[in-house]
Each structure stands twice: as structure tokens, then as C-alpha cells.
Amino acid sequence: MTYAEKNIIETYSNLIDNLSSIGKMELLEKLTKSLKKEKKAKEVDFFNSFGAFSDEKSAEDIVLEIKESRKFRDKDLNF
């Protein structure tokens, strides 16, 4: 944990001390939900990264297009 994070936590802790018990419980509930959301978002992003390339063309058309776009040059190499 960085110094900045420690400072932020200390500042929020001082603010939280002044909340009622109900306010503290609501805050705890929201923090818990945000942690669950963050975990789910990371999992979704991870699994969405597979098969990310999408196109209307078939695989054969894409391969043909790549092969046709290749350009070779004939150059004599003198050794």
C-alpha cells in the first residue's frame, strides 16, 4: 500500500467515525458491492478477450485477402 493510499484511508476513517451505525452499515454494503462489481468486471473483460476479432468475412476470404495483398520484389543480391 502506498503512502497516498494510507493517507486517503486515514482521512476517510476520520470522516466515518462521525457517521451513525446505520450510515456505517450502508457504507459497508456499498463498498462490498463495489468490490464484487470490480471482480466481475475483470472476469468479464478477461473472457471477452478471447475470440475478440470479428468480421463478416469468412476465414478463407480473410486468408485469401492477406495472400493477395503480399508484394514481393525481385532484387539481385550481389555477393
Side-chain angles (χ1 to χ4, degrees), residues 17-75:
D17 287 341
N18 296 325
L19 290 176
S20 66
S21 295
I22 293 173
K24 289 177 183 178
M25 290 179 69
E26 282 194 38
L27 179 60
L28 182 60
E29 184 180 331
K30 288 186 179 200
L31 286 170
T32 303
K33 284 181 181 179
S34 75
L35 286 171
K36 288 179 182 178
K37 248 190 247 182
E38 185 178 308
K39 183 180 177 187
K40 286 182 183 178
K42 285 182 182 179
E43 287 177 3
V44 168
D45 289 344
F46 175 75
F47 287 112
N48 283 343
S49 67
F50 294 97
F53 182 81
S54 64
D55 197 346
E56 298 295 322
K57 300 176 191 174
S58 68
E60 291 80 16
D61 291 339
I62 294 171
V63 169
L64 184 63
E65 186 178 320
I66 290 170
K67 286 182 178 181
E68 288 175 349
S69 70
R70 293 180 182 165
K71 294 185 171 48
F72 297 97
R73 61 183 176 161
D74 293 329
K75 184 175 182 181

